[in-house]
């Protein structure tokens, strides 16, 4: 998360005053870092939500949920944040792209999602429709 701007600060002695230009560059760099951190927090939250969706739908533990997300990402070639957003959206709208559905179905089976057969679904949740095959969008 560094800044590519260095300005005249490279030769400034410790304790010396920074110029207005140096301060402006530093402020711009810090704003960029803040923006990156904010995006990372949102992305992490969505990934956590997606792990919860996978756990609820497949009757899995958290480690298996993370494993399933990684497997779906590898199978589809989509990044983890993209997979997470699609799964969270699916949980709310009951729509999942066909390729992602197949990858999720396979990953859950590989993770031992048979436990979902013994877990009663929550009424109105995607889990109620997942029993070895997920609904196609």
């Amino acid at each position: 998360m560094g800044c590519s701007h260095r300005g005249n600060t490279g030769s400034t002695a410790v304790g010396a005053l920074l110029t207005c230009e140096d301060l402006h560059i530093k402020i711009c760099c810090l704003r960029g870092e803040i923006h990156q951190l904010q995006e990372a927090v949102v992305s992490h939250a969505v990934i956590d939500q997606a792990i919860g969706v996978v756990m609820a739908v497949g009757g899995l533990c958290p480690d298996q949920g993370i494993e399933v997300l990684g497997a779906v990402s590898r199978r589809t070639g989509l990044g983890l944040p993209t997979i997470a957003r699609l799964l969270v959206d699916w949980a709310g709208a009951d729509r999942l792209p066909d390729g992602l559905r197949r990858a999720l179905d396979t990953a859950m089976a590989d993770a031992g999602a048979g436990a979902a057969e013994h877990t009663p679904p929550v009424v109105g949740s995607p889990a109620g429709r997942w029993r070895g095959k997920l609904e196609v969008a």
Side-chain angles (χ1 to χ4, degrees):
M1 284 192 208
C3 182
S4 60
H5 295 94
R6 294 292 178 229
N8 299 326
T9 60
S11 61
T12 306
V14 175
L17 296 176
L18 298 175
T19 66
C20 286
E21 180 183 351
D22 291 337
L23 289 172
H24 179 71
I25 290 170
K26 186 151 185 81
I27 289 169
C28 288
C29 290
L30 290 172
R31 284 183 178 154
E33 288 181 25
I34 289 169
H35 181 71
Q36 288 176 342
L37 288 170
Q38 288 170 331
E39 287 181 343
V41 166
V42 169
S43 177
H44 193 301
V46 172
I47 290 169
D48 284 346
Q49 292 169 3
I51 291 168
V53 168
V54 170
M55 289 170 55
V57 169
L60 304 174
C61 69
D63 288 343
Q64 289 173 309
I66 294 166
E67 191 178 299
V68 165
L69 287 182
V72 171
S73 178
R74 288 187 297 277
R75 283 187 173 98
T76 62
L78 298 172
L80 198 56
T82 301
I83 296 294
R85 170 55 51 209
L86 289 168
L87 287 172
V88 170
D89 289 348
W90 167 62
D94 200 25
R95 307 195 83 201
L96 194 63
D98 190 43
L100 182 58
R101 179 204 47 83
R102 284 191 304 274
L104 180 61
D105 194 35
T106 302
M108 289 181 123
D110 291 348
E117 295 294 331
H118 306 291
T119 304
V122 176
V123 176
S125 75
R129 289 173 288 289
W130 188 84
R131 292 290 185 235
K133 296 290 180 192
L134 298 172
E135 295 290 321
V136 179

